[in-house]
Amino acid sequence: MLGLKVKKDNAEKVRKYLTGHKLMVINYRVFSSDEFIYFPISAGAKMGKDVIGRFGAEIVDARFEKTEQQPKYKEMLKSSLGKQYSEAARGYDVIGDIALIEGTGSTAATRKMAKAIMEVNRNVRTVLAKGGPVSGVYRIRKYSHVLGEKKYDTVYKENGAQFHFDIRKTFFSTRLAYERARISAASSDGENVIIMFAGVGPFAIEMAKTHKKSNIIAMELNRSAFKAMLENIKINRTANVTAEYGDVKKLVLRHRNFADRIVMPLPKDSYSFLGAVSIAARKGCVVHYYAFGKKEDAFDFNIKRIRDYFSKKGRRIRVLNKRVARNYSPSEIEVVIDFRIY
C-alpha cells in the first residue's frame, strides 16, 4: 500500500498534517528505519506542497502491519447510550492526559462518555466536561470533573515542544497544531517576530526551536498564561523568546518598525489590532491574520477590511496565502490570511 516517507526530524509535523486532513489509514501501524518514518496513507491522498516540498516527504510503496482496531468511540456510545445521546458522540479534545467533552445534561450519560474515552485512549487520566463556551477577554471556560484523577493541569506535547499549563486559566487549542507548524516552516531564521496574544507560548516556542537565530517577542495579557509561558520557555530552552506581559496595543509602542513577521491568533477581535500591526511592522513584514467569517464570504470580507485599513494608512498589502483554519459553527469558519505589508 502507499506510504509517506519522511525524515524523523519532521515526522511529528507531518503526522499532525495527515491526521488533521484525515489522510492517514489508522488501522495500519506506522514504522521507522534508521533515518525515516513511514506513515500509511489512503490511495487517493493528495499531499500539499508544504508536505512534499518543505518537509521533504516522499510517497512510496511500503508494507504496513495491520493493527487490531479498538472499538470506536462513537460505536461504544451508541451501544451504551442509545439514540437519545447519539449526538454526544460528535467528538472530544485531548490535551496531554486530559480529555474534554461536551456535557449531556445527564450525569450518568456523561460518565459513560468519559468511560468510553478512557477505554479508547489509554493515556487519558482525567475527563472533564466543558461548562459553557469560551468567554471573556482571556478566552477561558469552566470545567467540571467527570472521571479519573481530579486535576486540571497537564503537559501537552506538539511539534517537538512541550507546554505545561492549567486549562482553566488559559486558552489553548490543539486544533491549531497544523497552523503552528505551518507558520514555523514558512519563517526564516534570523527574523524579528511578534506573536500577539501568545498564550502559554506555542506559536513563539515552536518557531524559536526551529529558528534559533530569530528574535521573538511573545505578548500576553492573561497573567496566568504569561506565567505558564515563562515556565515553558525554560522547559523548551528557547532563550530567543522574550515574553512581555500587558496589552498588545501598548506593548507594540516599544517595538516600532521592528517586525519582519507578526502572528495574530485572536480571530474574534483581530481587526481592532491592525493599528498595533501598523506600528510594529517594517516594510515587507508578513502578517498571519486569523478571523471569523460567514462561510460564503469569509475571505472576501476580511481581505477587503485589511486592504481598506492599510490603504487609509498610505500602505498597501499583498495576499500571500489564505486557508480555512477550522469550522467554528454551522454558519461560521475561522480563516487565516497571510499578507505582506509595503
Side-chain angles (χ1 to χ4, degrees):
M1 65 181 295
L2 290 182
L4 194 68
K5 175 184 175 183
V6 61
K7 287 188 176 182
K8 288 183 177 180
D9 289 348
N10 292 325
E12 181 63 16
K13 297 175 184 177
V14 173
R15 185 187 69 80
K16 292 285 187 181
Y17 179 92
L18 294 177
T19 55
H21 290 76
K22 299 181 179 179
L23 297 174
M24 191 157 65
V25 182
I26 60 174
N27 56 332
Y28 285 86
R29 195 181 305 280
V30 175
F31 70 91
S32 64
S33 61
D34 290 341
E35 190 176 354
F36 297 97
I37 300 288
Y38 295 80
F39 296 99
I41 59 174
S42 54
K46 293 182 180 180
M47 300 294 118
K49 293 180 180 179
D50 48 352
V51 173
I52 297 297
R54 194 178 302 277
F55 295 139
E58 179 185 358
I59 297 177
V60 297
D61 287 318
R63 289 188 177 183
F64 292 93
E65 179 184 351
K66 199 163 186 177
T67 61
E68 293 184 10
Q69 195 170 7
Q70 292 179 307
K72 292 183 178 180
Y73 173 63
K74 290 185 179 182
E75 293 173 358
M76 294 175 70
L77 281 193
K78 286 178 181 178
S79 64
S80 62
L81 301 181
K83 294 182 179 179
Q84 184 179 3
Y85 293 105
S86 61
E87 282 299 309
R90 287 175 306 196
Y92 56 94
D93 295 313
V94 177
I95 302 180
D97 57 1
I98 297 178
L100 308 176
I101 61 176
E102 301 285 350
T104 65
S106 164
T107 301
T110 301
R111 286 183 65 83
K112 286 183 179 180
M113 290 170 60
K115 185 177 180 182
I117 290 169
M118 295 188 78
E119 287 185 17
V120 171
N121 298 273
R122 299 298 182 183
N123 62 312
V124 171
R125 296 164 59 189
T126 302
V127 180
L128 305 175
K130 299 174 184 177
V134 171
S135 62
V137 67
Y138 298 150
R139 296 180 293 163
I140 57 177
R141 61 157 48 103
K142 295 180 179 179
Y143 296 94
S144 58
H145 175 258
V146 180
L147 199 65
E149 295 181 25
K150 191 172 184 179
K151 70 185 192 71
Y152 301 92
D153 63 302
T154 189
V155 175
Y156 172 75
K157 297 180 180 180
E158 177 184 288
N159 300 328
Q162 60 179 352
F163 306 97
H164 182 203
F165 54 93
D166 185 324
I167 66 168
R168 299 169 300 177
K169 298 178 180 179
T170 182
F171 173 84
F172 190 94
S173 174
T174 60
R175 300 181 187 188
L176 291 176
Y178 173 73
E179 279 300 298
R180 293 187 275 265
R182 182 183 73 87
I183 291 176
S184 180
S187 304
S188 299
D189 206 8
E191 289 182 341
N192 289 337
V193 182
I194 289 178
I195 311 292
M196 299 179 172
F197 335 113
V200 301
F203 276 99
I205 288 170
E206 290 183 30
M207 188 181 295
K209 287 179 74 68
T210 304
H211 304 292
K212 298 186 184 301
K213 294 181 181 179
S214 291
N215 180 19
I216 302 168
I217 309 295
M219 302 175 176
E220 177 54 45
L221 182 61
N222 179 345
R223 186 172 289 278
S224 295
F226 175 74
K227 289 181 178 179
M229 176 163 51
L230 291 176
E231 179 185 356
N232 292 328
I233 289 170
K234 291 180 181 178
I235 290 172
N236 290 281
R237 299 179 180 179
T238 48
N240 53 330
V241 176
T242 301
E244 295 189 358
Y245 170 70
D247 186 334
V248 163
K249 293 178 181 179
K250 295 179 180 178
L251 293 176
V252 293
L253 298 176
R254 307 175 186 173
H255 308 288
R256 292 180 181 273
N257 196 35
F258 165 84
D260 300 303
R261 188 175 302 273
I262 297 175
V263 185
M264 304 178 67
L266 183 69
K268 185 177 179 181
D269 299 312
S270 49
Y271 179 77
S272 68
F273 288 89
L274 286 180
V277 171
S278 182
I279 290 170
R282 60 175 54 170
K283 185 177 180 180
C285 177
V286 174
V287 180
H288 304 279
Y289 179 92
Y290 293 80
F292 291 130
K294 295 179 181 179
K295 287 186 175 181
E296 60 268 22
D297 69 348
F299 290 116
D300 291 341
F301 173 77
N302 282 292
I303 290 172
K304 184 178 186 305
R305 293 185 90 192
I306 297 167
R307 201 180 297 280
D308 288 349
Y309 179 86
F310 283 102
S311 178
K312 291 176 182 177
K313 294 285 185 180
R315 306 181 77 170
R316 60 187 178 87
I317 70 160
R318 180 165 66 91
V319 175
L320 305 175
N321 180 51
K322 57 185 181 180
R323 65 181 301 273
V324 176
R326 62 183 176 119
N327 290 320
Y328 181 67
S329 72
S331 62
E332 283 189 300
I333 55 176
E334 180 182 346
V335 298
V336 55
I337 300 164
D338 303 337
F339 63 91
R340 191 183 298 276
I341 304 176
Y342 297 97

